[in-house]
Amino acid sequence: MMTMTTTMMRVGVWRSLLATMAFLSATFTMRDNHVLALDNGLARTPQMGFNTWNHFGCHINESIIRQTADAIVATGLAQAGYVYVNLDDCWQTARDATGRIIADPAAFPSGIAALASYVHSKGLKFGLYSDAGEKTCDGRPGSLGHEKMDAQTYAEWQVDYLKYDNCYDDGTPPEKRYPPMRDALNATGRHIFFSMCEWGVDNPASWAGEVGNSWRTTADISDNWNSMISNLGINSRLYPSAGPGGWNDPDMLEVGNGGMTTTEYEAHFSLWAISKAPLIIGCDVTKMSNDTFRILTNKEVIAVNQDKLGVQGRIVASSSSPSFYEAQSIFLNQRLLQKQQQLQQGGHKIVDHEDVLFNSAINDADDDDDNLQDVGAVSCNANDASQRWTINGADGSIRNQKLGLCLDLFYCNTAVGAAVGVYQCHTNQTGQQCNSLNQKWDYTPGGTITSRLDKMCLDVYNNEGPVVSAYTCNGGNNQKWTLGTDGLLRSGDANLCLG
């Protein structure tokens, strides 16, 4: 259907895409618009550490944390830069008569202050978890309405890091619920890293730079390739918001948890590094395999992530076209040869970006690969049948006339920037995932195409494409569409059509 967007094509039971990622080098200066409103001087580079959730879930206790801290030091992970040891949900049980938070006495008999002291004795930093709601995601006491008392308690316990989740809210938007904890942390006088976990539901990249040190941009990651690549794509387009003091967060690492191959974990770690994502280990570091340790301590990859300039890498072009792949490979080889010659000649020229080519295979044996393709904003061509569409207002479908497939919000993903493509039509079938709402759209001529699943708008990235995704409606020209009598769906830029 297209040649210059994230296209999935069949390779056996795998769908393959080529993506070129670029990150700017030191010839560029950091933008001035990032405001570190949480005045703690932290996060000058993305945070590195460990969190309990991905491997242990709610099954946590102080012995696990002590053993983890011991292992981080003994194995050399600390020397590699992993300094935060963070408890996630389930450490707290209730509040006392004064409203002070109480740790689970069975799991943490020594108390949180003593545990923090032990972690500090190893030369590491200690982190806790709470929620900007009445309860945490597991139903423990949240911090909504208790921000000042909780922040002061954390400071008294010598806590260095707070992950702040988004469950059980009172209907108030995150933009209102997160700043009170920022202010409370700031008022303690202790430098506590503020990691916002808002899941990307209210586009935190557009406002969280004035609130936290990092902000989740995606749904929770799962230990599989599909989930990892999906989070990467969503996070990529938010690159302008990241920089020293505050970082886009596509969620924690799954390296070592067993759901992906070693090669996939290598890609996962490398892509997180170039994306300037937090490198938070999520496996049991007391039982790491040699491959897991090798991946997590790769000095060159970590150096990319911890580069002081702090410019986030991003997907800049992608295609399934063999000719495009060959052209990009030749381009990259020329660049590498050029750099090698410069080094041999003693030159010191700094190129303006680095290019990384990788094949992303989304393993989904349950899908019929022949019936799933990506779409993008391409140059309008009335002779190209793959650019002609039929909109059915009755069932909400938008059907491609050539393929007979329907516009589809892949995997019912409701995150900002979720991938959109075409798939076998099922709008009138029962028992489908998310009740087929991922294929139902509301079209206003000359206006928006809005998903009935999450009210996101069909969006042309940066008003120039080729990437098209579901994005927060903003009234922009890149979210306006017109269906012509020729069947072409033209974007606000009349030279670009959905195809």
Side-chain angles (χ1 to χ4, degrees), residues 20-24 28 30-31 33-34 203-206 215 217 231-244 246-250 274-277 309-317 461-465 467 471:
T20 303
M21 296 192 67
F23 61 92
L24 304 178
F28 284 72
M30 180 52 58
R31 75 233 183 283
N33 63 343
H34 184 81
N203 194 22
S206 67
W215 43 88
T217 56
N231 282 18
L232 174 74
I234 294 167
N235 193 71
S236 173
R237 66 180 297 163
L238 304 174
Y239 70 91
S241 301
W247 307 98
N248 293 316
D249 178 7
I274 199 171
S275 299
K276 293 297 187 289
L309 188 63
V311 177
Q312 177 181 321
R314 64 193 188 276
I315 298 171
V316 295
Y461 176 63
N462 205 28
N463 210 32
E464 59 187 26
V467 177
Y471 202 73

Side-chain angles (χ1 to χ4, degrees), residues 26 39 63 151 253 266 290 298 330 334 339:
D39 187 19
S63 294
L253 294 166
E266 289 171 343
N290 290 336
N298 187 306
I330 293 170
Q334 290 174 337
K339 289 178 214 177

